[in-house]
Structures are given as C-alpha cells and as structure tokens.
Amino acid sequence: MQKKNTQKPAVKRNNWPKFVTLTLILVIALFAVSLLPRGFSGDTSLIGNGTHALLLVHDDNILQSGETMAAMNAIRDEYAERLAFIVADINTPEGRTFANSHGLMPAALVFFSASGNKLQTLYTPQTAESLRLELNKLFQF
C-alpha cells in the first residue's frame, strides 16, 4: 500500500506588502522627527564671539520661561544666521553658575552684543512678535 503525500505544497508568500508598510512607517517617523524643535545651545562661551546673542535663563518650573522659549523657537529660523540662541538652564550646574555670576533670575531674557556686552534684560512674558520688535530695535536687523 502506498503512502499518500499529505503535506500541502509550500506556498511562496509575497513580502512586498510588509516591505511597503515598513518603508511607510519609517518615512512617517522621519518626517515626525524632522518637525520636532531643535534644541537650543547651552554653550554660554558663544557670547562675545562676534555674533549677537539672545540668552534665556530657563527654569522648567516657571511657565513664563517655557512660553519665552517657545517664542524664541518661533523666530529662530528668521534670525539664526545673525544671532546665537542660548539657553542657560538654571537646573544645571553650568546654567546656575552663569546666572549667578551675571546676577540673573530664572526666566530672564538677556540680549548680548557681538562683543559680549549685556544690552538689555527682560523679565516680562515674551511673544514671537515682541521678540522681533526688540531684536530689530537693539540690533537694527
């Protein structure tokens, strides 16, 4: 008596749908990451190196500080070639040292000339428009 072959023939599966799905997920993820705001420099040594600087003494616990950072981020692309955007985080040793050595409180927004002179310090809430006005007035942009 002959044995019957009960095994089903192997079916070759098409991997294209998986490949297309994976590629689509990667493209969407890369696009989403590109939309995230870039971080601000924390390097205070940029002050006085020939480029005007805008420095925020940032504290995560103060709402005004976060709002001012959002306003800075909104105008960053307009002024990036003419202005260094710096954040001194008060919750880091470097940021706290910088703020203390310059007599600055959290949420201070400080405008520095290209030579490193402190031109103006603001403690009031800022918007993108108010920052544009101050930058244009102080630096004649």
Side-chain angles (χ1 to χ4, degrees):
M1 181 170 199
Q2 287 184 337
K3 288 187 176 181
K4 292 183 180 179
N5 188 358
T6 57
Q7 292 180 349
K8 295 181 181 177
V11 176
K12 187 174 181 182
R13 294 185 181 177
N14 192 350
N15 289 327
W16 279 105
K18 290 180 184 179
F19 177 74
V20 170
T21 302
L22 180 61
T23 302
L24 185 61
I25 290 170
L26 287 174
V27 167
I28 291 171
L30 288 173
F31 179 72
V33 167
S34 73
L35 293 177
L36 292 174
R38 301 179 312 273
F40 288 100
S41 174
D43 185 5
T44 56
S45 70
L46 296 172
I47 297 170
N49 285 342
T51 302
H52 299 298
L54 179 61
L55 178 131
L56 172 65
V57 180
H58 180 65
D59 185 347
D60 287 333
N61 300 314
I62 299 176
L63 182 61
Q64 175 184 334
S65 183
E67 290 172 351
T68 300
M69 185 179 283
M72 287 172 62
N73 195 47
I75 66 165
R76 185 178 3 186
D77 289 341
E78 292 175 55
Y79 295 95
E81 293 181 14
R82 302 173 280 174
L83 185 68
F85 289 89
I86 305 168
V87 172
D89 189 342
I90 200 80
N91 297 311
T92 65
E94 300 83 13
R96 189 171 29 260
T97 300
F98 182 85
N100 290 341
S101 67
H102 287 83
L104 299 169
M105 301 296 295
L109 186 63
V110 188
F111 299 80
F112 288 96
S113 69
S115 60
N117 296 323
K118 190 185 325 181
L119 301 175
Q120 183 176 4
T121 303
L122 300 175
Y123 285 97
T124 57
Q126 297 299 309
T127 64
E129 189 55 38
S130 68
L131 280 178
R132 280 186 194 96
L133 291 172
E134 288 298 323
L135 290 170
N136 293 337
K137 180 177 76 173
L138 285 172
F139 302 126
Q140 288 85 39
F141 287 148

